[in-house]
């Protein structure tokens, strides 16, 4: 008889942990060896329980990605699967780069999750298909084809942003371009909206990055 796969679940929602544990228990072939709700719990479980697979949420006290990095630096052989709602490319990429064996979205069915965990236990890796396709597309897209946010700006808006990036205030920009200060403020409001940034500093950084690329 094959030994059960020893699992530990770390998520700060008790009902979710209980649901996963119950579902895998009903399917069979799994043994729950620990539960936790924080990055600190995850590190403790990895050391004390040595599960075959440790499942981590990203959004929990201490951060799931922080726990992932810390655990694998101390226990490189630990198999970790991220079980989360985050579909952000940055989270997926960071988790895989840090050494996660799987990245699974919480909407997964219990039978599918069980199959994924069996595959991971056997040495395979897994990323939810929609995420892997999107991540691959983003990685393969040539840098030259990625849209330049600055290309959305009008000539006047780009001119004003260049001066702002040089450290000029709205009043100084207005004097330099013979404009009303309120006109400069209006243009900067549109610039921030088009670039999807929060303030002048972030807009200026985009301008500086564009100059470095050119």
């Amino acid at each position: 008889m094959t030994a059960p796969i020893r699992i530990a679940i770390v998520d700060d929602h008790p009902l979710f942990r209980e649901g996963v544990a119950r579902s895998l228990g009903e399917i069979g072939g799994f043994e729950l060896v620990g539960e936790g709700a924080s990055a600190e719990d995850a590190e403790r479980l990895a050391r004390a329980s040595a599960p075959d697979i440790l499942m981590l949420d990203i959004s929990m006290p201490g951060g799931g990605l922080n726990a992932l990095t810390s655990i694998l630096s101390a226990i490189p052989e630990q198999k970790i699967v991220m079980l989360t709602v985050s579909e952000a490319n940055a989270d997926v990429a960071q988790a895989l780069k840090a050494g996660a064996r799987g990245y699974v979205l919480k909407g997964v069915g219990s039978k599918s999750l069980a199959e994924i965990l069996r595959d991971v236990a056997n040495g395979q890796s897994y990323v939810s298909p929609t995420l892997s396709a999107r991540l691959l597309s983003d990685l393969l897209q040539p840098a030259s084809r990625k849209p330049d946010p600055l290309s959305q700006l009008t000539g006047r808006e780009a001119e004003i942003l260049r001066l702002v990036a040089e450290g000029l205030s709205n009043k100084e920009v207005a004097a330099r371009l013979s404009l009303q200060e309120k006109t400069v403020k209006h243009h900067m409001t549109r610039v921030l909206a088009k670039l999807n940034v929060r303030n002048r500093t972030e807009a200026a950084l985009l301008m500086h990055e564009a100059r470095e690329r050119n």
Side-chain angles (χ1 to χ4, degrees):
M1 183 176 178
T2 306
I5 298 171
R6 302 172 68 255
I7 62 169
I9 307 168
V10 183
D11 189 293
D12 59 345
H13 292 88
L15 287 177
F16 178 77
R17 293 199 310 267
E18 292 171 11
V20 171
R22 185 184 309 109
S23 296
L24 293 177
E26 291 172 353
I27 290 172
F30 298 92
E31 177 188 354
L32 180 66
V33 296
E35 292 184 47
S38 66
E40 184 179 351
D41 290 342
E43 294 180 36
R44 174 182 54 77
L45 286 168
R47 291 192 304 269
S49 302
D52 296 321
I53 298 176
L54 176 61
M55 286 182 278
L56 301 180
D57 185 23
I58 284 182
S59 301
M60 63 181 180
L65 292 173
N66 291 334
L68 167 70
T69 303
S70 178
I71 291 168
L72 291 182
S73 66
I75 314 172
E77 67 276 12
Q78 176 65 64
K79 293 182 174 72
I80 296 178
V81 171
M82 309 307 293
L83 184 55
T84 178
V85 297
S86 174
E87 298 185 32
N89 278 4
D91 286 342
V92 182
Q94 185 177 345
L96 297 180
K97 185 177 180 181
R101 301 295 184 91
Y103 196 101
V104 186
L105 295 178
K106 283 187 175 180
V108 68
S110 57
K111 290 183 179 179
S112 295
L113 178 60
E115 191 61 36
I116 291 165
L117 295 177
R118 292 191 193 102
D119 288 343
V120 169
N122 288 328
Q124 299 181 42
S125 297
Y126 178 89
V127 178
S128 292
T130 54
L131 299 182
S132 58
R134 194 171 67 197
L135 186 62
L136 183 61
S137 174
D138 186 62
L139 291 173
L140 293 179
Q141 185 180 23
S144 60
R145 290 177 54 195
K146 291 185 178 179
D148 178 6
L150 297 178
S151 65
Q152 306 173 67
L153 305 183
T154 65
R156 176 63 84 185
E157 289 167 350
E159 185 178 29
I160 290 173
L161 180 56
R162 278 193 293 272
L163 294 176
V164 168
E166 291 173 8
L168 274 66
S169 66
N170 286 346
K171 186 175 182 178
E172 291 169 331
V173 172
R176 181 78 63 90
L177 300 179
S178 300
L179 297 172
Q180 294 287 329
E181 185 176 353
K182 65 179 181 181
T183 301
V184 173
K185 289 181 179 178
H186 173 72
H187 281 303
M188 277 306 300
T189 298
R190 290 180 58 82
V191 167
L192 298 183
K194 287 183 177 181
L195 299 184
N196 192 29
V197 294
R198 293 169 294 183
N199 51 50
R200 296 160 61 91
T201 301
E202 292 183 3
L205 283 173
L206 281 180
M207 175 65 78
H208 287 305
E209 290 171 0
R211 286 175 175 172
E212 290 174 0
R213 289 195 300 267
N214 298 331

